[in-house]
Amino acid sequence: MSLLDVAALDARYGLLQAVRGVTLALGEGEILALVGANGAGKTTLLRSIAGAHRITSGTIAFDGVDVTAMPANRRVAMGIALVPEGRRLFGGMTVEENLKVAGRVRRPGRWNVDAVLDAFPVLRDNYKRRSGDLSGGQQQATAIGRALMTNPRVLLLDEVSLGLSPVAVGMVYESLQTVIASGATIVLVEQDLGRALRIATHVACMLEGNIVLEGRASELTREAVTQAYFGLRRADGGRAS
Ligand code: ATP
């Protein structure tokens, strides 16, 4: 059984249909990269899974439990954690406070303050600083650390590299490798296709609200994903031969 099962999910903003009949399954330990052009529906899909966007139809099951109607805070308690686009930290609070606030809804598990600081050493040096005073990369590390503090069973990461310098992106991804090595299950929205294909076990490409290509990262060529990204998918599904 999959850990996360999304079936026929539709999501709208008024008349605009942002996600169209999306079905996907994610197994424990898998890293799914959700790629696609701006406006393809990636953020809306992630927010729907987290319970931050009310869906129009379809179902979301987590560990065999139908969570479709469950509010976001109960989904966090079940182990679904979203790192939203733009990070949304409590800027007036220190790194320590941001981590500890999230820790209040902790499930049992390996993630605690020490484990987060080990995975993100940059936070150790900035632990007592206000998160609003940190650099973009340090803020992103705080946002991911905050999500980890809940001990998620699936981590939903929305464009963690957005607006960061190449050095900061490298730092964040290096730490994410530690998180992945701990056996995390992740859905990751990433604009950088090369990076997405390197880090992911599975890839799903969205176009205008639909998933137009999906498969194991090792079986998809970068060319095939690029074609799907721009709506130029080949009839054979673009699998590597
Ligand atoms: P991006 O990379 O730009 O974040 P995305 O693939 O994550 O793109 P979404 O942000 O999910 O795409 O947007 C999907 C569609 O929904 C787009 O057409 C977008 O304009 C629209 N949309 C997103 N948020 C809202 C909103 N709050 N109100 C109205 N329409 C929205």
Side-chain angles (χ1 to χ4, degrees), residues 13 16 18 37-44 85 159 191:
Y13 299 95
L16 186 137
N38 285 346
K42 308 175 300 291
T43 294
T44 307
E85 195 175 318
E159 301 215 31
Q191 289 288 353

Side-chain angles (χ1 to χ4, degrees), residues 92-111:
M93 285 167 47
T94 63
V95 170
E96 175 182 20
E97 288 163 346
N98 269 284
L99 296 183
K100 288 188 173 166
V101 161
R104 284 199 209 143
V105 285
R106 265 169 67 74
R107 295 166 9 90
R110 72 178 298 273
W111 292 103

Side-chain angles (χ1 to χ4, degrees), residues 1-6 24-28 30 61-65:
M1 190 181 60
S2 310
L3 180 61
L4 177 70
D5 265 301
V6 172
L24 63 86
L26 183 74
E28 206 136 24
E30 290 180 357
F62 186 66
D63 201 14
V65 177

Side-chain angles (χ1 to χ4, degrees), residues 2 11 18 22 28 38 48 59 71 74-75 78 88 103 107 116 122 127 129 137 165 177-178 183 192 216 227:
S2 310
V22 162
E28 206 136 24
N38 285 346
S48 299
T59 57
R74 287 193 49 212
R75 296 192 206 191
M78 280 193 72
R88 310 252 181 91
R107 295 166 9 90
V116 168
V122 68
Y127 192 54
R129 289 181 65 198
S165 69
Q177 290 293 0
T178 310
D192 181 337
R216 289 179 181 277
Q227 289 189 341

Side-chain angles (χ1 to χ4, degrees), residues 11-14 16-19 35-47 53 85 158-159 162 189 191 206 209:
R12 295 176 165 273
Y13 299 95
L16 186 137
Q17 187 161 2
V19 178
V35 301
N38 285 346
K42 308 175 300 291
T43 294
T44 307
L45 178 56
L46 275 199
R47 286 171 46 80
H53 184 90
E85 195 175 318
D158 198 356
E159 301 215 31
L162 197 70
V189 171
Q191 289 288 353
M206 289 187 76

